[in-house]
Amino acid sequence: MINPKEALHSGVLKNEQAGYLIAKRIIDMLGAAFGLLVLSPLLLLIALAIKLEDRKGPVLFSQIRIGKNGKPFRMYKFRSMVCDAESRLASLLASNEIEGAMFKMKDDPRVTRIGRFIRRTSLDEIPQFLNVLKGDMSLVGPRPPLPREVEQYTYYEKQRLLVTPGCTGLWQISGRNQLSFQEMVELDLRYIRQRSIRFDLTVIVKTAGMLLGSKDAY
């Protein structure tokens, strides 16, 4: 795994000032708590819809992801797939529609009806506010990858793990699934080099404007 001290000397991490990190954490805590409170009626409706479509399955889906400096954590989402989605993944890998260490499939047969809606509108991501409150994630940052994806990373690509992963980032507001894996990496490294409170707030505002749905989300 890449050494954060090496990254500081190489210029990848240009903004590690305590003031920025403290302000970012305060914004994360307030934003996540406010989001969960205001959206609580919508969250209940989504949970009910998931249960009505599949009474046996859980409402939330949790998965091990890789966070800052390679530390694993459990990330939460609304369940948008059938219950045995993970076991069916191997049979679908040949249909991957994105190059690099990621799996994306527009017409993934594992996605449920309600799942397609909450994915298109990114509502399935809202439970990650819990991860933000815990400190595993930030509101803005690189998306946290799966362990099997990180195993395929080059040293260069591992630099996206130098900061706390986020609920949204430059990838989401710059094309999302229309971009290649390498383009996503370059956007993440650009964010890491240029990040600031103003930059974070700009990403949050642009993300909010896309919540009504994006053709690039699936």
Side-chain angles (χ1 to χ4, degrees):
M1 191 60 62
I2 190 169
N3 187 326
K5 292 184 178 180
E6 293 178 8
L8 281 168
H9 290 302
S10 69
V12 178
L13 286 177
K14 290 185 177 181
N15 198 342
E16 284 293 279
Q17 291 95 337
Y20 165 71
L21 296 178
I22 292 173
K24 182 177 177 68
R25 182 60 184 151
I26 292 173
I27 292 172
D28 283 344
M29 294 287 287
L30 293 176
F34 179 76
L36 288 173
L37 178 63
V38 171
L39 296 174
S40 56
L42 177 59
L43 301 184
L44 291 175
L45 287 176
I46 295 173
L48 179 61
I50 293 172
K51 268 301 181 183
L52 287 176
E53 184 171 2
D54 182 2
R55 296 177 184 272
K56 295 182 180 180
V59 169
L60 292 181
F61 170 76
S62 65
Q63 190 178 51
I64 297 298
R65 295 291 181 115
I66 302 300
K68 183 177 180 180
N69 296 328
K71 181 181 178 181
F73 70 96
R74 187 168 293 277
M75 188 186 79
Y76 302 103
K77 300 177 70 172
F78 276 123
R79 183 171 63 86
S80 61
M81 291 186 172
V82 294
C83 294
D84 61 343
E86 292 293 288
S87 62
R88 293 169 58 180
L89 175 61
S91 64
L92 297 172
L93 290 177
S95 301
N96 191 9
E97 297 175 4
I98 188 169
E99 294 183 3
M102 289 180 68
F103 177 81
K104 289 291 179 180
M105 186 177 177
K106 187 171 185 179
D107 295 316
D108 195 322
R110 300 172 300 164
V111 180
T112 62
R113 286 177 298 174
I114 184 63
R116 294 191 187 283
F117 171 73
I118 61 177
R119 280 180 163 224
R120 188 172 64 251
T121 54
S122 297
L123 294 173
D124 62 322
E125 311 281 359
I126 296 178
Q128 287 162 37
F129 286 163
L130 296 173
N131 289 116
V132 175
L133 292 176
K134 291 173 62 179
D136 295 325
M137 294 179 65
S138 173
L139 292 178
V140 182
R143 288 297 294 165
L146 293 162
R148 61 176 173 78
E149 294 172 344
V150 175
E151 290 175 1
Q152 303 176 51
Y153 278 12
T154 63
Y155 181 88
Y156 181 77
E157 292 161 355
K158 285 180 180 178
Q159 292 179 105
R160 66 188 301 272
L161 305 177
L162 288 168
V163 300
T164 303
C167 298
T168 187
L170 285 183
W171 176 61
Q172 284 84 346
I173 64 173
S174 302
R176 202 165 178 173
N177 294 318
Q178 300 300 314
L179 302 177
S180 68
F181 172 72
Q182 288 304 322
E183 287 173 321
M184 182 196 73
V185 171
E186 293 303 325
L187 286 170
D188 286 340
L189 297 186
R190 174 189 164 194
Y191 168 74
I192 292 172
R193 289 191 295 267
Q194 301 180 4
R195 62 198 180 125
S196 65
I197 294 301
R198 182 176 180 179
F199 199 177
D200 285 353
L201 292 176
T202 298
V203 172
I204 291 171
V205 170
K206 289 186 176 181
T207 300
M210 299 173 64
L211 286 182
L212 292 178
S214 171
K215 66 180 181 180
D216 298 328
Y218 54 84

